[in-house]
Amino acid sequence: MRAPIGTFDHATPAPECLGRLTAPVAAAVRAWSGSVPAEQILYVDTDPRWADTAVFVEHYGQDLLERSANCVVVAGKRGGGSTLAACVVPSTARADVNGIVRRQLGSRKASFAPMDTATGESGMEYGGITPIGLPADWPVLVDAAVVDLPYVLVGSGRRRGKLLVPGKAFAELPGAIVLEGLGAA
């Protein structure tokens, strides 16, 4: 199948390649429900050396910069407790961690979660974390600009491979909260 965005040789519906996904991502695809059929979530095989956005678009198409999103894990702290959440923002933006994220989580302080916490708690690889398959109790803060895109390139749970996901599917993820301006240029 031809990928709807980018210059990928081949795209495969995610339900047909569960073995290429991490366990939490595969479980989320298996249990998928909502207005977007799981078969519209596509997997594309990519070189893990090129997983980071800037290098990735050099190899797979500059147009992907405007059609991709990053998923970052943040920790909000209040009192002695901490809340983990994910932020999904366009690749051309940075999550407003100290403003919108902190307020949305009701935290006194918010920051990017340490790498070992992000990977350990999500069950995904650093550089490949995706909002699909995150723990059900995590808020998933999604920039409205991501939801508005026909297809969005995001991680697959591993550094090798990416998912192409209809933008509106992000609004239907467990714990999803769509926010205007979550990503600041």
Side-chain angles (χ1 to χ4, degrees):
M1 158 187 301
R2 175 104 175 100
I5 60 174
T7 59
F8 304 102
D9 295 332
H10 185 72
T12 306
E16 295 176 18
C17 57
L18 296 174
R20 295 182 184 174
L21 306 172
T22 59
V25 177
V29 170
R30 259 189 234 100
W32 190 262
S33 65
S35 67
V36 175
E39 292 74 22
Q40 289 184 16
I41 300 170
L42 306 174
Y43 174 85
V44 291
D45 192 40
T46 60
D47 190 316
R49 296 174 297 166
W50 302 328
D52 297 321
T53 304
V55 178
F56 190 87
V57 297
E58 284 179 33
H59 288 90
Y60 296 106
Q62 280 297 129
D63 66 313
L64 290 171
L65 189 58
E66 301 295 327
R67 298 173 179 179
S68 61
N70 291 325
C71 180
V72 295
V73 178
V74 296
K77 297 176 183 162
R78 182 174 192 93
S82 180
T83 300
L84 291 177
C87 297
V88 183
V89 297
S91 294
T92 56
R94 296 180 65 81
D96 183 6
V97 174
N98 291 311
I100 293 174
V101 173
R102 181 184 57 75
R103 287 190 299 275
Q104 185 64 43
L105 297 178
S107 300
R108 186 183 49 76
K109 180 180 177 186
S111 59
F112 294 104
M115 180 175 44
D116 60 332
T117 300
T119 57
E121 296 293 324
S122 70
M124 300 178 201
E125 294 178 4
Y126 183 75
I129 294 176
T130 185
I132 297 172
L134 290 173
D137 61 339
W138 286 18
V140 179
L141 310 179
V142 183
D143 191 292
V146 172
V147 175
D148 291 340
L149 292 169
Y151 264 91
V152 181
L153 176 109
V154 292
S156 67
R158 298 184 195 270
R159 285 185 67 84
R160 167 169 225 110
K162 299 285 186 183
L163 296 177
L164 305 177
V165 182
K168 65 183 180 180
F170 293 99
E172 298 179 359
L173 290 171
I177 302 167
V178 178
L179 300 166
E180 293 287 338
L182 175 62

